[in-house]
Amino acid sequence: MTYVDFSMLIVFLIGMFFIGYLLSRWIDTTDDFMVAGRHLTPFILASALTAANVNLYSFISQSGAAYKYGISLIWHTWTGNMALVLSGLMIIPILRRLRIRTVPEFLGMRYNLVVRFLIGFYWVFRLAFWLGVVLRMAALAFMTIAHVENLAFTGSFSFWLIIFAFIAVAYTFLGGMWSVTITDVIQFVLMLGGALIVLPLVMQQVGWWPGLVEQVAEGHLDLVPSVGRYNWQFILAIFVIGIQWASTDQGLLQMSFSSKDAKSSARGLVLAGIITTPFALLWILPGLCASISFPGITDMDTAYPILIMNALPPILLGLVACGLLSSQMSTISTNLEGVATLFCNDIYKTVLNREASPRQTLLVVRLMTFAAGAMGITFAYLIPLIGENAVAAYLTVVGIFDMPFFVIAIIYGLLWRRANWQGALIGYLAGITAGSISAYIKGIDSFDAFFFSTIAGTITALVVTPVFSMFFPRQSGKEIDRIWEARTHSQEDEGEAYHIIPVSGWGKFFFALLFVGLAVFLIGVISGSVAFAYAGVLALGGMILFFLSGLIRLFFD
């Protein structure tokens, strides 16, 4: 990288800090800091969600995996987008009506403070660990992309790690969710611009689509492979994990809770899911192109950096680097905000200081932003101890801990009133145990462990929770009544009317068609197990029908 390109990166980082400073004037209450005063429109929400969920994990790790294993990894993004649509239409509007800030807060309403504290405590470290993953990924990538000859510090892991953490902490500390959201929208535009510069240049080098099809390795264009690392089993497992993520992830939900009403949250998530779907080609196709242009790369995560450094001239490289950095900074700031909010909302105000004043709470959540940054930096240094396949290990941990959480919070928390805190807690612990045993048998850092731990943990929690709930008294109270009332639209709702199950004829038609598309997608994926020639076509067609039905359903309530 040249001095000009490096200067562009520094100007970008200073600009992000300056925006946080300007937006600090908007922060008067904890709601302003945590959920942007609940004023976000659907477009701003969709842009911020897209920016927060597209990061260097997409451009580096997923592109690198496509380089080595082929196009089927694209389902990692696509199934997550389908989950966003499903959650946006059916789950998030209910939680938005409750005016909560975190999912553990919902668990406190649904079960009790013990469950709220335990899950909140876990999620603080869970998000901090992921923050360490994304910080480490950013620092490693920019050691290569932004290294300037004769400036030794630009090739230092610690330099980039501290710089990224400091800038993200600074503007999040100053402006809270407003700063995170507004900078995410700016970063969304920069990220998209940078990716759109790269794609046509690298596609031209391999002869566009016909040249890619002709030269790419055999099997690399199979959408639903019957064998291999990213086969039909992976697609099913990542789809299930995606539903959990879109329904319980703190960073995603905190933005959704910042929407102005239930319908805005639904529109924002559906738009984010649909917008991000074609974006996956912006990192998967370059990975496939790199496998043709630069065969033999041993570290697949370097494929995208090597590709752009050889394809882009100075200044253009600086612009693309700013786009890549934008994608990562938005993810870092979203997780910083999530960790701070979880600690303040579900630990500090629940256990440490229940009588905290609004001013004390705002001070603590801001200070916790610094603590979250420090935790992220610590985890970034500790991650190599896990082993080479840290991402696989992380996904396995998510399968073990998060899927039982999804079962007790969303499936039984919203759908079965007879569930009580004793059954939920026992079901959660049993699910973790079953998932851990399965992962241990398969090996924690293998992708087999990810599939089997996800299935084992989910099924165990699904079975154990209702069985043990029947041994203890039924829970009742005003908070549970509020949850059940939030499942349907009422006159007290803010903003436009929104029904989970539409009341109009056309609304019901497209709502039903949504599940037809989902069924076709699942049939396509499962048919991949027998190497059905049209498995990919079925799965892709089902996904497109699913997205179109979900989008049109929003116009008919």
Side-chain angles (χ1 to χ4, degrees):
M1 178 173 276
T2 65
Y3 287 99
V4 174
D5 296 324
F6 182 73
S7 300
M8 292 169 68
L9 281 177
I10 299 302
V11 169
F12 165 77
L13 289 169
I14 293 172
M16 293 299 101
F17 175 83
F18 184 66
I19 290 170
Y21 170 74
L22 292 178
L23 292 173
S24 64
R25 303 173 187 177
W26 295 14
I27 307 300
D28 295 318
T29 67
T30 51
D31 252 13
D32 290 335
F33 191 92
M34 295 180 183
V35 287
R38 304 189 193 270
H39 293 311
L40 298 190
T41 62
F43 176 75
I44 292 177
L45 176 59
S47 300
L49 285 171
T50 302
N53 293 310
V54 175
N55 49 54
L56 283 179
Y57 174 64
S58 308
F59 285 100
I60 302 298
S61 290
Q62 290 194 33
S63 184
Y67 172 92
K68 187 172 182 179
Y69 298 107
I71 199 171
S72 61
L73 182 71
I74 201 168
W75 290 109
H76 193 321
T77 301
W78 283 356
T79 54
N81 295 340
M82 292 175 70
L84 277 177
V85 172
L86 203 60
S87 179
L89 291 174
M90 303 183 65
I91 297 171
I92 302 304
I94 299 174
L95 301 179
R96 172 60 185 84
R97 286 184 183 129
L98 296 172
R99 296 186 65 82
I100 57 176
R101 294 167 176 164
T102 66
V103 176
E105 182 180 351
F106 165 73
L107 293 177
M109 296 173 61
R110 180 61 181 85
Y111 298 117
N112 65 9
L113 290 180
V114 174
V115 177
R116 176 180 180 177
F117 173 77
L118 289 175
I119 299 296
F121 186 79
Y122 158 69
W123 265 91
V124 166
F125 286 93
R126 153 81 161 76
L127 276 187
F129 180 77
W130 178 239
L131 182 60
V133 171
V134 295
L135 277 170
R136 181 175 179 80
M137 204 170 293
L140 287 173
F142 276 81
M143 282 172 58
T144 303
I145 296 171
H147 181 253
V148 180
E149 198 172 347
N150 299 323
L151 292 180
F153 64 88
T154 60
S156 165
F157 171 79
S158 295
F159 169 76
W160 288 110
L161 181 66
I162 300 301
I163 287 292
F164 293 155
F166 174 77
I167 296 296
V169 166
Y171 74 72
T172 305
F173 172 87
L174 291 169
M177 183 54 77
W178 272 119
S179 181
V180 170
T181 303
I182 298 302
T183 53
D184 278 3
V185 173
I186 296 170
Q187 289 160 357
F188 165 75
V189 175
L190 289 172
M191 172 195 67
L192 179 59
L196 287 175
I197 290 172
V198 172
L199 184 61
L201 290 175
V202 298
M203 287 293 288
Q204 184 184 36
Q205 289 179 350
V206 299
W208 301 101
W209 181 253
L212 179 66
V213 172
E214 183 180 343
Q215 299 174 72
V216 77
E218 184 179 356
H220 265 41
L221 293 180
D222 290 346
L223 269 177
V224 184
S226 58
V227 295
R229 174 166 287 191
Y230 300 106
N231 61 9
W232 67 276
Q233 289 180 325
F234 169 82
I235 298 170
L236 283 181
I238 204 68
F239 176 61
V240 174
I241 285 285
I243 297 173
Q244 169 272 320
W245 162 76
S247 306
T248 61
D249 180 78
Q250 177 59 28
L252 184 151
L253 264 62
Q254 196 165 341
M255 283 190 176
S256 304
F257 296 158
S258 304
S259 59
K260 63 181 182 178
D261 54 46
K263 190 160 190 174
S264 292
S265 67
R267 286 173 172 170
L269 265 75
V270 171
L271 284 175
I274 293 173
I275 288 171
T276 315
T277 298
F279 280 13
L281 298 172
L282 296 177
W283 52 84
I284 297 295
L285 290 180
L288 295 174
C289 291
S291 70
I292 298 169
S293 301
F294 301 97
I297 295 175
T298 53
D299 182 0
M300 63 184 183
D301 284 349
T302 63
Y304 193 86
I306 289 172
L307 187 70
I308 65 171
M309 290 177 69
N310 283 275
L312 301 176
I315 299 180
L316 211 54
L317 178 60
L319 287 172
V320 171
C322 286
L324 289 173
L325 183 54
S326 295
S327 70
Q328 198 70 351
M329 292 299 287
S330 58
T331 304
I332 293 169
S333 59
T334 299
N335 283 279
L336 282 170
E337 177 82 8
V339 173
T341 299
L342 279 164
F343 176 83
C344 188
N345 202 57
D346 300 307
I347 297 176
Y348 176 72
K349 288 194 68 176
T350 303
V351 177
L352 302 179
N353 188 359
R354 296 186 181 183
E355 305 301 323
S357 66
R359 186 171 181 176
Q360 286 176 311
T361 304
L362 184 57
L363 176 62
V364 168
V365 74
R366 276 183 153 153
L367 291 175
M368 190 59 197
T369 306
F370 280 104
M375 291 167 69
I377 291 171
T378 302
F379 279 120
Y381 282 113
L382 293 176
I383 282 169
L385 299 178
I386 296 174
E388 293 183 2
N389 208 341
V391 171
Y394 172 76
L395 287 174
T396 301
V397 170
V398 168
I400 292 170
F401 287 92
D402 289 12
M403 285 311 302
F405 170 50
F406 170 74
V407 170
I408 67 167
I410 304 302
I411 294 179
Y412 290 126
L414 289 177
L415 300 179
W416 194 47
R417 189 158 182 157
R418 182 64 180 80
N420 50 40
W421 74 268
Q422 296 96 332
L425 191 57
I426 294 170
Y428 180 63
L429 295 175
I432 291 173
T433 303
S436 299
I437 293 171
S438 177
Y440 176 77
I441 292 171
K442 291 292 180 179
I444 189 69
D445 62 346
S446 73
F447 276 82
D448 278 347
F450 166 58
F451 174 76
F452 286 103
S453 62
T454 298
I455 300 302
T458 303
I459 292 175
T460 302
L462 280 170
V463 172
V464 171
T465 300
V467 169
F468 278 87
S469 289
M470 300 305 294
F471 286 100
F472 297 95
R474 179 191 298 267
Q475 282 185 259
S476 60
K478 292 182 179 179
E479 296 287 22
I480 295 179
D481 291 339
R482 273 188 65 204
I483 293 170
W484 251 249
E485 289 167 3
R487 301 193 310 170
T488 57
H489 172 70
S490 68
Q491 296 300 319
E492 289 78 28
D493 284 351
E494 306 166 280
E496 293 185 63
Y498 179 78
H499 295 85
I500 303 300
I501 299 177
V503 293
S504 68
W506 282 112
K508 290 177 180 177
F509 172 77
F510 286 108
F511 190 66
L513 200 59
L514 177 89
F515 289 96
V516 172
L518 179 60
V520 173
F521 160 75
L522 291 173
I523 291 169
V525 173
I526 295 170
S527 68
S529 63
V530 294
F532 179 55
Y534 297 100
V537 175
L538 269 177
L540 183 62
M543 181 191 74
I544 293 171
L545 178 61
F546 177 88
F547 282 140
L548 290 176
S549 303
L551 180 63
I552 298 172
R553 177 261 172 272
L554 288 173
F555 293 95
F556 301 97
D557 190 55

